[in-house]
Every structure is written in structure tokens, then in C-alpha cells.
Amino acid sequence: MTQSIFPLQAYGSGVSAYSTAESESSTAVERSSVRESAIGTPLDIGDIASISEEARVKYSLKQEEPEETEFGEKAKEWLDRLGLESGTQSLKDGVTREVEVEDGEFTVNEYKEGRLVRTINGSVSDRGVSMTTKLYDATGEVRQTSTVEMSENEDEVASVRRSFQWFEHGELTRSMTDSMLLRSEYIDLGDMGTEGAKVSQDQHVSTYHGSIQEYTDGQLRRSIEINRESTNVSKANRSDVPTDDLAAWSMEQVGADSLFSIEIVEFDADGEKVRDSLFEDHVKDFEGTEDGELEQSFSSSWYANGKLVQRTHGELSMSETELSALPERPNILDLLNLSEEEYVTEETKSGAELLSDSILESSSDASFFTDALQKYVGKGQFDTAENISEGRASDRPYSVRWETEIYNREGELTLRRKDTEEGVENLHEGGLEFRIGGALAEDEYRATLDRTSHVVENYDENGKLRQRSEVRSKESIVRLEDGADYLKTRVTSEVSAQGKSQSSVQTLLGSLKDTDENAAAASAGMAAGLDLTFDDAFQVFRSLSPAKAVAQDQQ
């Protein structure tokens, strides 16, 4: 791999943003050397980069240090980034803001129609920014509190740590802690052949972790864990001179390596687990290449009276082709809730500057770092299994595996079903180009050929395998030199029971979908399993929005 211009290092074990102070530096260095950076020479894109484990440990150790009170030059920089000045301002939506800044400490009081709606009390030091924010309902009661700390270490890793609590009539209904780490680096590409233009290549490495707990009558009813890591690479024209591929003051994403996961656990009124589910998504896709890869996995378990009754698990992969790109994932503007105008300034901004631009807003907006995920979940960008099951992804090679297990009241396995589904790239000689008197009909061109398998296992009351049946189907093309090509499907079946087995092989004319009525069992099963998790995720992300909370207050 080409040595990176950006000296970022990756880690291989998915370490949380809350790396413990007890981690030893030697271990951190070993982990940080697992993978190298995402950028080599300009526009030479390689693997995902991430904030090194060593940088994380340094950050975690700094959280244990005594709070610095010195108000030096660095503290003044933090204050300037906040953009606060003593005085009174009129904001949108009829909000009046009163600000007082003195000796590194600041207070912000916001009023609407004479009613106090938000207070912020904070301070800056050479170390960073800390603040406490409260939101008030129409009766004057506190409905949300939050604390925020922001800092930047010597490795130029900027971090925001937040903690939220929500109340109804003085009772805690939900809590959330999250963190955002960001490192931003740039390469000056000059004018890129257009005199007067100012183009940069930008790399942003970010890690987000959020943990949410929801309560009813003081009882934990649901917990949600959110993790996202990404390397986003883009080009930006930071001038008023357009280039061949970039308008003035604009940017475009060159590529990204993005990981996202959400885990949801639900509990009943007695504290017993009812359901847990985990969805993971990884997309690596760099513009100008045809090697983009998507991988997803999903698992869920259901319980009754504390006992497991059903378990499902699925895995999905898909490859990019020259004509069919992979589904989009959030870019840096989405992740930081920035407009293009805010991002594409004449001078590039460090990670701390980018996060500081929105620190006052994000101090009370719990959804600030999940808005992009809400939008992409809502748009169905993660619904790859559903797209496959409905035939909207047959032009890209893919593979789906889905497994379901059913258990009896004693916790013994009674039924297991395993379905697989594949679209294998068609490597037929000549590419099945349309030709009169030969090949498949023009509207039957196949970019992929289908394969499926179905396994059903039945178990007795003691959990011992009683019967197993399997059906495998494989589609292929028969090429004729003097006539039209045609599809055939080879079907192999086998049934085993009581130590005996019986098998058969058939070759049928036609496509696999014509011969296998359960051809989409794997993708449809995974899509159905994911529906509830995606619905829950969307509702959770939406509920974090302060706009919704205000609307509820006004009902």
C-alpha cells in the first residue's frame, strides 16, 4: 500500500470512543498499526482510516486530569469559535437571546413570548469548552437537561461528549450519552488545471457512539446502542472560479468507507428481556472504481417469560458494477449537519472548528449527530434485502443467508430453517450481447445468474434432529451457435430421516424463479426481520429532535 500523506492510523477491534484509561500505551500502539490511512497521493484512495487507539487513550486520560482554569490564548480561540458576545440578540422564530461573557465564563438565556425556554451556563479554558443546558416547557418545568464537553488533543482529534436527560412532570423518562470524535486533514490540489481555482482534497475521519435508555414509571423498557465510523474523502472548490468538474464554492464526495450499527433491547414491566436485535452495515465505495462492496448482518432474539422462543440471523453482501452503484451513505455534510455554504469556505477548518460551528445548537439538540441516520433510514437506503426480494437489485452480484430457529417452552430447539440466495455475476463468453437469431431475447439479458438453497430441520422434544430436507437450485445458460440461448435450472433435493436418506437431481427448462416458488425466501426473510428494527430506529432518531419535543409541549 502507498504510504499515506495523512498520518492517520486505523484500529481493528472496533474500540469504543470511551476507551478506558486503564488501556496500556503499548497495546494501543499495536492496535493502531493494524491498518494504514485512507489517502495516499492525491485521489489515490485506499482503505478506511480511523482515529488511532493511541489517540483515544490519550483523550481518555485527559478526561481524568484536573480541570484547567487558565484563560490563555487557546481559551480565547475556543471563545471566538463559539461566537458569543455580551448583549441581546433577536433570533428566528421570535426568540430573544441574552448573553453575558466574562473571564472565560458565559451564560445564555433565551426567551419566547416573555417565557424562558433555554438556559446555557458554560466556561472555556485552554483545555476546551464545557456547558450545561436546560430546556423548559410551557409551565416553566425543566423538560431536558444536558452537559457538553468539547476539546482537542495534541493529535488534532476533536471530541464532543454529551449527556442528556428528559423529564415529564419531574420524572425521568429517557437518558442519553454520546460522543463524536473527528479528525480533519486536507491536501491543497492547487488550481487543478483551471487558473485561479482553489481546490482541496479533504479527509474526515469520524467516530460516533450513542447510548439511549427509555423508562416507563421508573422502569427501563428499552435501550439503544448506536455506533458509526467513517472515512469520508471529498474534493472542494474553495474559490469563485469553476473547474471542469466542480462549480464555484462547491464540494463532491470522492468516496467513503462507512460502518454503522444499531442494537435495540426491549424489556417488559417486570424487567425481563422481550426482544433484542442488532443490525450492522458496512459500505466501502470510492468514486471512479468498480470495486465497491456492501456487507450487512442482522440478528434478533425473542423471549417469553425470560426464555428464548425464536432466534433469527442473516448476512448479506453486494458488489458494485460499472453500471450499478451501491446505495449512498451519509457524507461529511450529513454527519456534521452542515450546509455546503458553511463547509466550503476559503480556508479549510480543523475538526475542532467544524464541531465548534454547531456546539451551541448540538448542546440541546440530542438528534444533531443522528439526523443523517434518520434521513437515510427513512429513505430506505439501508433496505438492501427488501430491494433484492422485490427484484430491484438483480443487476448486481449479491448473496443473502437467512436462518430462523424456533424453541419450545422448555428451551429446546424444535425447528431450524436456512435459506440462501445468490446472484452470481454472469461471466458467459461474449457477455450475452443481443444478436439476431442467437443469445437470449434482448429483454432477458442477465447480469447475474441465480442460485438458491433451502434447508429445513425438525427436532424432537429432546432437541434431537428428527428430519432434514434440503433443496438446491442453480441457474445456467445454454449457449447455441445456431439458435437462441436459453436458461436451465438444475435442482438437487435430499431428505434424511431415521438414518435413511433419499435424493434426486432434475434439470428443468426456464429460469430459477420459474422453478423455485421460494426463490426470494432469504432476502424476504431478512427484509421482514429488519422492518421492525428500522421502524424502531427511525422513531428513536425522530424522537430525539427538540422540534418534536416542543410540538408535544404545545399539544
Side-chain angles (χ1 to χ4, degrees):
M1 179 180 296
T2 305
Q3 178 64 38
S4 172
I5 290 177
F6 294 152
L8 298 182
Q9 291 179 312
Y11 64 96
S13 57
V15 179
S16 165
Y18 294 105
S19 298
T20 58
E22 289 79 12
S23 300
E24 297 183 5
S25 298
S26 60
T27 303
V29 172
E30 290 177 7
R31 291 181 180 175
S32 69
S33 64
V34 173
R35 290 180 295 192
E36 296 182 0
S37 173
I39 297 186
T41 55
L43 304 184
D44 175 20
I45 310 301
D47 292 336
I48 187 172
S50 188
I51 297 162
S52 72
E53 175 75 350
E54 184 178 17
R56 291 165 180 269
V57 172
K58 289 180 181 178
Y59 169 72
S60 201
L61 288 171
K62 288 180 73 65
Q63 304 309 303
E64 305 299 327
E65 295 174 0
E67 183 70 30
E68 297 179 16
T69 58
E70 181 182 354
F71 186 73
E73 291 300 319
K74 190 67 176 177
K76 293 178 181 178
E77 288 183 19
W78 286 110
L79 193 57
D80 290 341
R81 290 170 181 171
L82 294 176
L84 291 176
E85 294 182 359
S86 296
T88 302
Q89 302 171 285
S90 295
L91 307 179
K92 61 182 181 179
D93 301 328
V95 174
T96 299
R97 172 182 287 178
E98 296 179 354
V99 180
E100 182 177 342
V101 181
E102 184 176 0
D103 297 330
E105 296 187 352
F106 58 88
T107 59
V108 178
N109 295 319
E110 293 181 352
Y111 301 86
K112 186 172 184 179
E113 299 177 354
R115 177 173 67 89
L116 182 65
V117 294
R118 180 168 78 154
T119 62
I120 304 174
N121 293 281
S123 63
V124 296
S125 67
D126 286 350
R127 178 179 174 179
V129 182
S130 62
M131 64 182 74
T132 299
T133 302
K134 295 181 179 180
L135 301 182
Y136 301 85
D137 63 20
T139 67
E141 288 190 347
V142 175
R143 62 178 172 84
Q144 177 184 305
T145 65
S146 63
T147 58
V148 178
E149 295 182 357
M150 182 174 179
S151 62
E152 181 182 31
N153 67 16
E154 61 270 26
D155 295 320
E156 298 184 344
V157 177
S159 61
V160 174
R161 293 172 66 122
R162 309 186 302 170
S163 177
F164 290 84
Q165 290 183 317
W166 289 263
F167 302 88
E168 287 184 8
H169 309 298
E171 182 176 302
L172 179 68
T173 59
R174 180 170 53 185
S175 63
M176 170 179 171
T177 58
D178 70 355
S179 66
M180 177 73 166
L181 275 65
L182 175 67
R183 183 172 181 178
S184 302
E185 297 197 355
Y186 306 88
I187 296 176
D188 182 1
L189 301 180
D191 58 22
M192 292 293 288
T194 303
E195 187 174 354
K198 185 180 179 182
V199 181
S200 65
Q201 179 172 287
D202 311 346
Q203 174 178 270
H204 303 280
V205 182
S206 61
T207 298
Y208 174 81
H209 173 74
S211 179
I212 304 169
Q213 292 77 41
E214 298 177 342
Y215 302 89
T216 299
D217 298 328
Q219 177 74 45
L220 177 65
R221 300 302 295 270
R222 182 162 66 172
S223 67
I224 301 100
E225 298 290 327
I226 307 160
N227 288 282
R228 186 196 51 73
E229 303 173 33
S230 67
T231 295
N232 294 83
V233 183
S234 58
K235 288 193 302 181
N237 182 1
R238 302 177 181 276
S239 69
D240 55 9
V241 179
T243 69
D244 290 341
D245 58 352
L246 283 174
W249 305 108
S250 70
M251 60 88 72
E252 67 173 5
Q253 181 158 289
V254 175
D257 200 337
S258 172
L259 298 95
F260 162 59
S261 70
I262 181 166
E263 182 176 11
I264 301 175
V265 183
E266 293 184 339
F267 304 88
D268 62 21
D270 296 323
E272 295 283 0
K273 187 186 295 187
V274 175
R275 175 177 69 101
D276 63 59
S277 63
L278 172 63
F279 169 70
E280 297 177 303
D281 174 87
H282 179 201
V283 175
K284 179 179 179 180
D285 191 10
F286 291 100
E287 188 177 342
T289 69
E290 299 170 16
D291 60 352
E293 296 289 340
L294 178 152
E295 295 180 350
Q296 292 183 345
S297 66
F298 173 72
S299 60
S300 67
S301 298
W302 292 83
Y303 303 84
N305 300 318
K307 292 185 177 181
L308 178 67
V309 295
Q310 179 176 302
R311 175 182 291 147
T312 62
H313 176 74
E315 296 177 350
L316 181 155
S317 64
M318 176 176 285
S319 300
E320 179 184 35
T321 67
E322 183 178 0
L323 300 177
S324 298
L326 296 176
E328 293 182 354
R329 294 294 180 261
N331 62 25
I332 190 61
L333 301 184
D334 296 321
L335 297 175
L336 298 181
N337 248 323
L338 295 173
S339 67
E340 192 170 38
E341 181 180 8
E342 291 172 321
Y343 177 79
V344 186
T345 55
E346 185 173 0
E347 299 298 326
T348 59
K349 295 181 179 181
S350 66
E353 289 172 317
L354 289 170
L355 290 175
S356 297
D357 285 346
S358 57
I359 189 65
L360 289 180
E361 180 182 356
S362 66
S363 70
S364 57
D365 183 357
S367 69
F368 190 84
F369 295 120
T370 59
D371 280 346
L373 294 173
Q374 177 189 335
K375 179 176 72 173
Y376 279 73
V377 170
K379 289 168 59 179
Q381 290 294 311
F382 295 100
D383 293 344
T384 308
E386 182 176 297
N387 291 335
I388 291 174
S389 69
E390 297 182 356
R392 296 195 297 267
S394 59
D395 56 346
R396 283 164 287 193
Y398 70 89
S399 173
V400 187
R401 299 178 183 276
W402 181 249
E403 181 174 315
T404 300
E405 295 178 343
I406 305 296
Y407 295 80
N408 61 22
R409 293 180 179 180
E410 286 70 42
E412 295 288 349
L413 178 65
T414 62
L415 175 69
R416 177 186 287 124
R417 179 176 182 122
K418 296 183 283 187
D419 297 289
T420 69
E421 182 181 344
E422 292 182 84
V424 182
E425 184 178 2
N426 179 12
L427 301 177
H428 196 286
E429 183 181 356
L432 285 183
E433 73 281 359
F434 177 68
R435 62 186 189 277
I436 297 176
L440 295 173
E442 185 173 21
D443 59 357
E444 291 181 347
Y445 171 78
R446 301 295 297 276
T448 59
L449 298 174
D450 296 333
R451 297 178 183 176
T452 61
S453 71
H454 311 290
V455 176
V456 177
E457 298 174 344
N458 291 285
Y459 294 81
D460 62 23
E461 63 276 8
N462 298 315
K464 184 177 180 181
L465 181 62
R466 184 174 56 190
Q467 180 176 313
R468 183 182 189 276
S469 62
E470 179 176 6
V471 179
R472 300 186 302 274
S473 301
K474 180 179 179 181
E475 189 178 66
S476 61
I477 294 173
V478 177
R479 183 180 176 90
L480 299 178
E481 294 299 329
D482 56 352
D485 296 349
Y486 63 90
L487 290 169
K488 68 176 182 179
T489 302
R490 180 183 174 90
V491 181
T492 303
S493 60
E494 183 176 352
V495 178
S496 301
Q498 298 177 346
K500 299 179 181 180
S501 64
Q502 183 178 357
S503 62
S504 67
V505 179
Q506 292 179 293
T507 299
L508 306 174
L509 296 180
S511 69
L512 185 148
K513 289 182 174 63
D514 292 333
T515 60
D516 183 359
E517 61 182 12
N518 295 314
S523 56
M526 187 168 179
L530 280 167
D531 274 348
L532 181 58
T533 295
F534 286 154
D535 287 345
D536 285 349
F538 182 81
Q539 294 302 326
V540 167
F541 294 149
R542 188 171 69 93
S543 70
L544 298 176
S545 169
K548 183 175 183 296
V550 171
Q552 290 176 335
D553 287 341
Q554 296 174 346
Q555 290 177 355

